[in-house]
Amino acid sequence: MKKLILFSAALLGLSFASCKKDSANSAGTARVTVKLTDAPGAYDAVILNIKQVVILSSGGEKTVDVNGTPIDILRFRNGKDTVLAGVDVPAGRLQEVRLVLNNTGNRVVINGVSYDLNTPSGQTSGVKLKVQDDLTSGIAYTLLLDFDAAQSIVTTGNGKYNLKPVIRAIPAAVSGALTGVVTPAAAFPRVYAIMGTDTVGTIADATGKFYFPGLAAGTYRVNFAPVTPYAVKTIDNVTVVNGAVKDLGSVTITQ
């Protein structure tokens, strides 16, 4: 999950200037972490050499290189998974994911013997997976690619093997967000969202708006530390849920 700043529980005595990150930089995007898992297959190993992951939403397209060695996907079964990539994707309707494979390094091992996997569909435009889900700006998501090894490897009858991937894409929101508007904007407060010993901080902008993307689900205390002569204000029991933006509306700060 993406956080702006991680603090200790001490708030007002901390220097904020060196740590802050403008939440406006995250506007219009959602953080997507792509993971790979596998359904069991009757092989010793199934090794994929993944080059890129391409994510297409109604807001645009994002391509991220997968840096690493070929992956034996049979190591990631029964609830285990591995992270392929993490990327900020234009918010909107998630439409398609493409898994692009390198030309070499894709193999299946059967009874101790290694065979090359012919993967023509994955070497050019990529293996295309249709996904329909909404990506909300400032929310973090995981996209789990559930690879079915048993159905994905096809023998040609002449001792060769083709890869025709059968993959199920499962999107899930793993964070929420928090927003609101401070009145008057001249109070220009530092704003802290506190849950247990974890604190996330930001600064309200010139219009008084504040925004926390990528918050873990839970109950927060929101603290406003304005400039002089305005008084500190706290709002308790603010609930953030995965996949939703909690709007505190107008927050009035008095002198």
Side-chain angles (χ1 to χ4, degrees):
M1 288 172 284
K2 183 180 179 184
K3 288 187 176 182
L4 298 179
I5 309 133
L6 182 63
F7 291 93
S8 67
L11 298 178
L12 302 181
L14 293 181
S15 172
F16 188 82
S18 64
C19 300
K20 71 183 180 69
K21 179 178 178 182
D22 186 355
S23 61
N25 292 337
S26 298
T29 63
R31 185 69 178 178
V32 177
T33 300
V34 182
K35 297 182 177 183
L36 184 68
T37 189
D38 177 54
Y43 309 104
D44 297 337
V46 176
I47 299 170
L48 300 183
N49 192 6
I50 301 170
K51 180 181 180 181
Q52 292 175 326
V53 176
V54 182
I55 303 176
L56 177 64
S57 73
S58 59
E61 182 178 299
K62 199 75 172 182
T63 299
V64 58
D65 293 333
V66 177
N67 298 316
T69 58
I71 301 168
D72 178 6
I73 63 172
L74 295 190
R75 293 174 52 201
F76 304 101
R77 295 180 288 186
N78 300 320
K80 295 181 180 179
D81 58 54
T82 184
V83 174
L84 296 181
V87 63
D88 291 326
V89 175
R93 186 70 172 171
L94 183 60
Q95 298 173 336
E96 184 179 273
V97 178
R98 295 198 297 270
L99 203 62
V100 183
L101 303 178
N102 283 296
N103 294 328
T104 60
N106 304 293
R107 297 179 290 118
V108 59
V109 180
I110 304 173
N111 296 325
V113 180
S114 179
Y115 301 89
D116 289 335
L117 278 174
N118 182 31
T119 57
S121 64
Q123 293 168 358
T124 53
S125 62
V127 179
K128 297 180 181 179
L129 309 174
K130 296 298 180 183
V131 189
Q132 293 296 318
D133 199 14
D134 291 319
L135 299 178
T136 301
S137 176
I139 304 296
Y141 296 82
T142 60
L143 183 62
L144 185 65
L145 304 183
D146 187 6
F147 189 98
D148 190 335
Q151 298 187 59
S152 298
I153 298 173
V154 180
T155 179
T156 64
N158 59 357
K160 295 183 178 181
Y161 294 86
N162 290 340
L163 179 65
K164 296 184 177 180
V166 177
I167 304 174
R168 185 167 61 113
I170 309 169
V174 293
S175 81
L178 175 64
T179 190
V181 178
V182 172
T183 302
F188 200 63
R190 300 169 183 176
V191 187
Y192 303 92
I194 309 153
M195 183 171 64
T197 59
D198 289 337
T199 301
V200 182
T202 189
I203 293 179
D205 66 16
T207 69
K209 184 175 181 178
F210 60 91
Y211 188 69
F212 293 96
L215 288 182
T219 301
Y220 288 80
R221 182 172 77 257
V222 183
N223 181 278
F224 299 85
V227 297
T228 304
Y230 296 94
V232 171
K233 183 182 181 71
T234 299
I235 300 176
D236 292 316
N237 300 318
V238 176
T239 302
V240 173
V241 299
N242 288 340
V245 179
K246 175 66 175 179
D247 191 346
L248 291 179
S250 180
V251 179
T252 301
I253 294 185
T254 59
Q255 295 188 22

PDB file of all heavy atoms in Angstrom, residues 111-125:
ATOM      1  N   ASN A 111       9.257 -35.449 -15.634  1.00  0.00           N
ATOM      2  CA  ASN A 111      10.081 -36.611 -15.265  1.00  0.00           C
ATOM      3  C   ASN A 111      11.570 -36.296 -15.382  1.00  0.00           C
ATOM      4  O   ASN A 111      12.369 -37.126 -15.858  1.00  0.00           O
ATOM      5  CB  ASN A 111       9.720 -37.816 -16.131  1.00  0.00           C
ATOM      6  CG  ASN A 111       8.299 -38.291 -15.901  1.00  0.00           C
ATOM      7  OD1 ASN A 111       7.783 -38.231 -14.786  1.00  0.00           O
ATOM      8  ND2 ASN A 111       7.641 -38.744 -16.963  1.00  0.00           N
ATOM      9  N   GLY A 112      11.942 -35.090 -14.968  1.00  0.00           N
ATOM     10  CA  GLY A 112      13.342 -34.700 -14.953  1.00  0.00           C
ATOM     11  C   GLY A 112      13.893 -34.209 -16.276  1.00  0.00           C
ATOM     12  O   GLY A 112      15.044 -33.786 -16.340  1.00  0.00           O
ATOM     13  N   VAL A 113      13.079 -34.226 -17.325  1.00  0.00           N
ATOM     14  CA  VAL A 113      13.530 -33.792 -18.655  1.00  0.00           C
ATOM     15  C   VAL A 113      12.922 -32.427 -18.968  1.00  0.00           C
ATOM     16  O   VAL A 113      11.711 -32.230 -18.826  1.00  0.00           O
ATOM     17  CB  VAL A 113      13.137 -34.806 -19.744  1.00  0.00           C
ATOM     18  CG1 VAL A 113      13.621 -34.340 -21.115  1.00  0.00           C
ATOM     19  CG2 VAL A 113      13.717 -36.184 -19.414  1.00  0.00           C
ATOM     20  N   SER A 114      13.783 -31.501 -19.433  1.00  0.00           N
ATOM     21  CA  SER A 114      13.337 -30.142 -19.731  1.00  0.00           C
ATOM     22  C   SER A 114      12.994 -30.002 -21.206  1.00  0.00           C
ATOM     23  O   SER A 114      13.768 -30.418 -22.083  1.00  0.00           O
ATOM     24  CB  SER A 114      14.438 -29.147 -19.351  1.00  0.00           C
ATOM     25  OG  SER A 114      14.042 -27.834 -19.655  1.00  0.00           O
ATOM     26  N   TYR A 115      11.837 -29.403 -21.491  1.00  0.00           N
ATOM     27  CA  TYR A 115      11.390 -29.165 -22.865  1.00  0.00           C
ATOM     28  C   TYR A 115      11.090 -27.674 -23.046  1.00  0.00           C
ATOM     29  O   TYR A 115      10.532 -27.033 -22.148  1.00  0.00           O
ATOM     30  CB  TYR A 115      10.108 -29.948 -23.161  1.00  0.00           C
ATOM     31  CG  TYR A 115      10.227 -31.441 -22.984  1.00  0.00           C
ATOM     32  CD1 TYR A 115       9.979 -32.035 -21.744  1.00  0.00           C
ATOM     33  CD2 TYR A 115      10.580 -32.277 -24.047  1.00  0.00           C
ATOM     34  CE1 TYR A 115      10.065 -33.402 -21.567  1.00  0.00           C
ATOM     35  CE2 TYR A 115      10.671 -33.651 -23.880  1.00  0.00           C
ATOM     36  CZ  TYR A 115      10.420 -34.211 -22.639  1.00  0.00           C
ATOM     37  OH  TYR A 115      10.515 -35.574 -22.465  1.00  0.00           O
ATOM     38  N   ASP A 116      11.458 -27.160 -24.212  1.00  0.00           N
ATOM     39  CA  ASP A 116      11.104 -25.780 -24.526  1.00  0.00           C
ATOM     40  C   ASP A 116       9.599 -25.654 -24.702  1.00  0.00           C
ATOM     41  O   ASP A 116       8.941 -26.559 -25.239  1.00  0.00           O
ATOM     42  CB  ASP A 116      11.795 -25.325 -25.815  1.00  0.00           C
ATOM     43  CG  ASP A 116      13.288 -25.126 -25.636  1.00  0.00           C
ATOM     44  OD1 ASP A 116      13.709 -24.866 -24.491  1.00  0.00           O
ATOM     45  OD2 ASP A 116      14.023 -25.246 -26.630  1.00  0.00           O
ATOM     46  N   LEU A 117       9.055 -24.517 -24.252  1.00  0.00           N
ATOM     47  CA  LEU A 117       7.640 -24.214 -24.465  1.00  0.00           C
ATOM     48  C   LEU A 117       7.522 -23.226 -25.620  1.00  0.00           C
ATOM     49  O   LEU A 117       8.126 -22.148 -25.600  1.00  0.00           O
ATOM     50  CB  LEU A 117       7.018 -23.603 -23.205  1.00  0.00           C
ATOM     51  CG  LEU A 117       6.563 -24.574 -22.116  1.00  0.00           C
ATOM     52  CD1 LEU A 117       6.123 -23.791 -20.887  1.00  0.00           C
ATOM     53  CD2 LEU A 117       5.432 -25.456 -22.612  1.00  0.00           C
ATOM     54  N   ASN A 118       6.763 -23.609 -26.635  1.00  0.00           N
ATOM     55  CA  ASN A 118       6.493 -22.711 -27.749  1.00  0.00           C
ATOM     56  C   ASN A 118       5.395 -21.736 -27.316  1.00  0.00           C
ATOM     57  O   ASN A 118       4.286 -22.154 -26.977  1.00  0.00           O
ATOM     58  CB  ASN A 118       6.050 -23.524 -28.974  1.00  0.00           C
ATOM     59  CG  ASN A 118       5.793 -22.627 -30.171  1.00  0.00           C
ATOM     60  OD1 ASN A 118       6.428 -21.587 -30.320  1.00  0.00           O
ATOM     61  ND2 ASN A 118       4.859 -23.030 -31.014  1.00  0.00           N
ATOM     62  N   THR A 119       5.720 -20.456 -27.320  1.00  0.00           N
ATOM     63  CA  THR A 119       4.780 -19.465 -26.779  1.00  0.00           C
ATOM     64  C   THR A 119       4.567 -18.309 -27.760  1.00  0.00           C
ATOM     65  O   THR A 119       4.844 -17.150 -27.433  1.00  0.00           O
ATOM     66  CB  THR A 119       5.291 -18.904 -25.448  1.00  0.00           C
ATOM     67  OG1 THR A 119       6.591 -18.336 -25.670  1.00  0.00           O
ATOM     68  CG2 THR A 119       5.390 -19.984 -24.393  1.00  0.00           C
ATOM     69  N   PRO A 120       4.092 -18.574 -28.967  1.00  0.00           N
ATOM     70  CA  PRO A 120       3.978 -17.480 -29.952  1.00  0.00           C
ATOM     71  C   PRO A 120       3.046 -16.365 -29.534  1.00  0.00           C
ATOM     72  O   PRO A 120       3.321 -15.193 -29.795  1.00  0.00           O
ATOM     73  CB  PRO A 120       3.445 -18.198 -31.202  1.00  0.00           C
ATOM     74  CG  PRO A 120       2.792 -19.443 -30.685  1.00  0.00           C
ATOM     75  CD  PRO A 120       3.615 -19.849 -29.496  1.00  0.00           C
ATOM     76  N   SER A 121       1.945 -16.682 -28.860  1.00  0.00           N
ATOM     77  CA  SER A 121       0.985 -15.644 -28.505  1.00  0.00           C
ATOM     78  C   SER A 121       1.501 -14.717 -27.423  1.00  0.00           C
ATOM     79  O   SER A 121       1.057 -13.587 -27.292  1.00  0.00           O
ATOM     80  CB  SER A 121      -0.334 -16.279 -28.046  1.00  0.00           C
ATOM     81  OG  SER A 121      -0.131 -17.029 -26.870  1.00  0.00           O
ATOM     82  N   GLY A 122       2.456 -15.201 -26.637  1.00  0.00           N
ATOM     83  CA  GLY A 122       2.956 -14.398 -25.537  1.00  0.00           C
ATOM     84  C   GLY A 122       4.200 -13.603 -25.865  1.00  0.00           C
ATOM     85  O   GLY A 122       4.696 -12.857 -25.040  1.00  0.00           O
ATOM     86  N   GLN A 123       4.723 -13.756 -27.109  1.00  0.00           N
ATOM     87  CA  GLN A 123       5.990 -13.127 -27.432  1.00  0.00           C
ATOM     88  C   GLN A 123       5.835 -11.786 -28.122  1.00  0.00           C
ATOM     89  O   GLN A 123       6.784 -11.023 -28.202  1.00  0.00           O
ATOM     90  CB  GLN A 123       6.802 -14.074 -28.324  1.00  0.00           C
ATOM     91  CG  GLN A 123       7.233 -15.338 -27.594  1.00  0.00           C
ATOM     92  CD  GLN A 123       7.780 -16.393 -28.535  1.00  0.00           C
ATOM     93  OE1 GLN A 123       7.798 -16.198 -29.743  1.00  0.00           O
ATOM     94  NE2 GLN A 123       8.205 -17.513 -27.990  1.00  0.00           N
ATOM     95  N   THR A 124       4.665 -11.487 -28.660  1.00  0.00           N
ATOM     96  CA  THR A 124       4.498 -10.244 -29.417  1.00  0.00           C
ATOM     97  C   THR A 124       3.565  -9.283 -28.681  1.00  0.00           C
ATOM     98  O   THR A 124       4.006  -8.445 -27.907  1.00  0.00           O
ATOM     99  CB  THR A 124       3.959 -10.563 -30.820  1.00  0.00           C
ATOM    100  OG1 THR A 124       2.771 -11.369 -30.695  1.00  0.00           O
ATOM    101  CG2 THR A 124       4.996 -11.340 -31.630  1.00  0.00           C
ATOM    102  N   SER A 125       2.266  -9.413 -28.932  1.00  0.00           N
ATOM    103  CA  SER A 125       1.323  -8.504 -28.271  1.00  0.00           C
ATOM    104  C   SER A 125       1.050  -8.910 -26.837  1.00  0.00           C
ATOM    105  O   SER A 125       0.594  -8.096 -26.032  1.00  0.00           O
ATOM    106  CB  SER A 125       0.006  -8.456 -29.053  1.00  0.00           C
ATOM    107  OG  SER A 125      -0.608  -9.724 -29.079  1.00  0.00           O
TER     108      SER A 125
END
